[in-house]
Amino acid sequence: MAVAAEEEAAAREPAGRPAAGPALLRLPEELLLLICSYLDMRALGRLAQVCRWLRRFTSCDLLWRRIARASLNSGFTRLGTDLMASVPVKERVKVSQNWRLGRCREGILLKWRCSQMPWMQLEGDSLYISQANFILAYQFRPDGASLNRRPLGVFAGHDEDVCHFVLANSHIISAGGDGKIGVHKIHSTFTVKYSAHEQEVNCVDCRGGIIVSGSRDRTAKVWPLASGRLGQCLHTIQTEDRVWSIAISPVLSSFVTGTACCGHFSPLRIWDLNSGQLMMHLGSDFPPGAGVLDVMYESPSTLLSCGYDTYVRYWDLRASVRKCVMEWEEPHDSTLYCLQTDGNHLLATGSSYYGVVRLWDRRQRACLHAFPLTSTPLSSPVYCLRFTTKHLYAALSYNLHVLDFQNL
C-alpha cells in the first residue's frame, strides 16, 4: 500500500526532465521511446526507479503495449484491439502477472439453499445470474469482488428452471425447461414469453436482431427479435440429436450447433442463418457420446468447443473443417461444462468434478493453474464462468465464487 501511495503522489507532482544526469536523459523523447521499446518488463521497472521523470516516462502506454499483447488477459485481442483503453496498460500488465502465476484471493459472492444449475452473464458493473425460474441482476461494488446484496432487478416468466440466457440489444433472451423462450427488456418491465420447442430449450443466442435456440427435442430454430414478430419461427432445423449448445457467427451469416453426439455424424455442425441449410460438419473423430456442452465464436472463422470428451478444441475454418488446429485435454478426464477466453492467450474452463476451474495459456498444451472450488461431499460442476481482467466468477450448484487477481 505504501508503494502504491508513493507512486500516486509522484504522479501528481510535476516531474520535469533533469537538467543534469546521464546522457540517456538528454536524448529526444522519440529516440528514448524507441530505445525503451526494446526493454522487457523487468528492465522497464528498474529504469522507473532512477528518477521521477523516468518513472513517469516509462509509464507511457506505448512502451507497455507490446508486453501487454504477449501477456495473459491484459485487455488486448489477438489482433491488437485494446478493449480497455481507459485503464493504463502498465497497471493491466501488473495484474496479468497474477493470472500467469496463479496468485488470487478466493471468495463467495452468493449462496443459495437448494442445488441449482445457474447460468451467468456480465455487462458493465452488473452481474446477471439465473436461479431456478428467475434471472437476478446484481451490481458490483467498486472492488469488483463483492456485490450489493439487494438485486437491481428480477426477471421472471418461465414455469420451470432457466437453462440458459444471453444479453443483447438491452434485452435478456432466456431459454427455459418449460420449452419457452423469454424476452425481457432490461430497463423496463416488458416481458414476453412464447412456446418455442416441444421439450426444454437448452441453449439460446442472439445477434443482430436474430435469435437461435436449441432443444432436447432435436431441433434448432431461428426467430426474429423485432417486437412485432416475436414468436414467429423463421426456420426449423432437424438436427436429429439433442442440442446442448449454440452460437451465431459474428458476421451473422451462419450459426453452429453442439449436439449430444448420439448419431453417426459430427456433434458440431454449421448452418446457414438465412436459409437454415447445413453448410458443414466440423471434425471427423469424435467418439460416441462426445456431446458439445459449450461452443463460442472467437472470430468469423475461428471457434472453440468443449464437452463430454474432456477436450477443448480450437477450430479454424480457413485451415480445415475435418480436424481442429489445437486441442487441450482436461488432465483428470472430467467433462468440461463451460469455457471462456480473453480473445488472445488466456483460456478458462469449468470441470464437472469438485468445481475445478482451470486456466490455460493457449501457446502451450499443459494446464497453467487449477483452482478446486469445492470438496467432497459438496462436489459440483462449474456450470458457468466469466472473467474480466481482474476477476473470475464461477457459478456452482450452491455458490457463486470469485477469484480476485487484483486485491491480494
Side-chain angles (χ1 to χ4, degrees), residues 88-127:
V89 180
K90 180 180 177 181
E91 298 305 313
R92 287 184 265 161
V93 171
K94 285 182 179 179
V95 178
S96 172
Q97 299 311 301
N98 293 332
W99 289 85
R100 182 178 65 86
L101 298 171
R103 296 187 303 215
C104 64
R105 187 177 62 184
E106 182 185 337
I108 294 178
L109 293 180
L110 295 171
K111 295 182 179 181
W112 37 88
R113 295 180 180 178
C114 302
S115 177
Q116 309 278 348
M117 295 179 65
W119 194 255
M120 171 177 51
Q121 299 288 356
L122 304 178
E123 186 174 81
D125 62 352
S126 299
L127 178 144

Side-chain angles (χ1 to χ4, degrees), residues 122-123 128 155 165-173 183-188 190 205-212 223-227 230 248 252:
L122 304 178
E123 186 174 81
Y128 297 80
F155 303 90
F165 69 91
V166 294
L167 308 179
N169 303 338
S170 299
H171 290 79
I172 301 174
I173 295 90
V183 178
H184 321 265
K185 280 193 176 179
I186 292 177
H187 302 296
S188 78
F190 175 84
D205 196 14
C206 180
R207 284 179 186 260
I210 294 293
I211 301 169
V212 293
W223 314 83
L225 180 59
S227 57
L230 286 173
I248 300 176
L252 307 179

Side-chain angles (χ1 to χ4, degrees), residues 320-337:
S320 173
V321 297
R322 294 184 59 81
K323 188 171 180 59
C324 63
V325 294
M326 187 71 175
E327 61 185 18
W328 299 269
E329 184 179 10
E330 215 286 335
H332 293 162
D333 217 28
S334 298
T335 296
L336 294 172
Y337 271 68

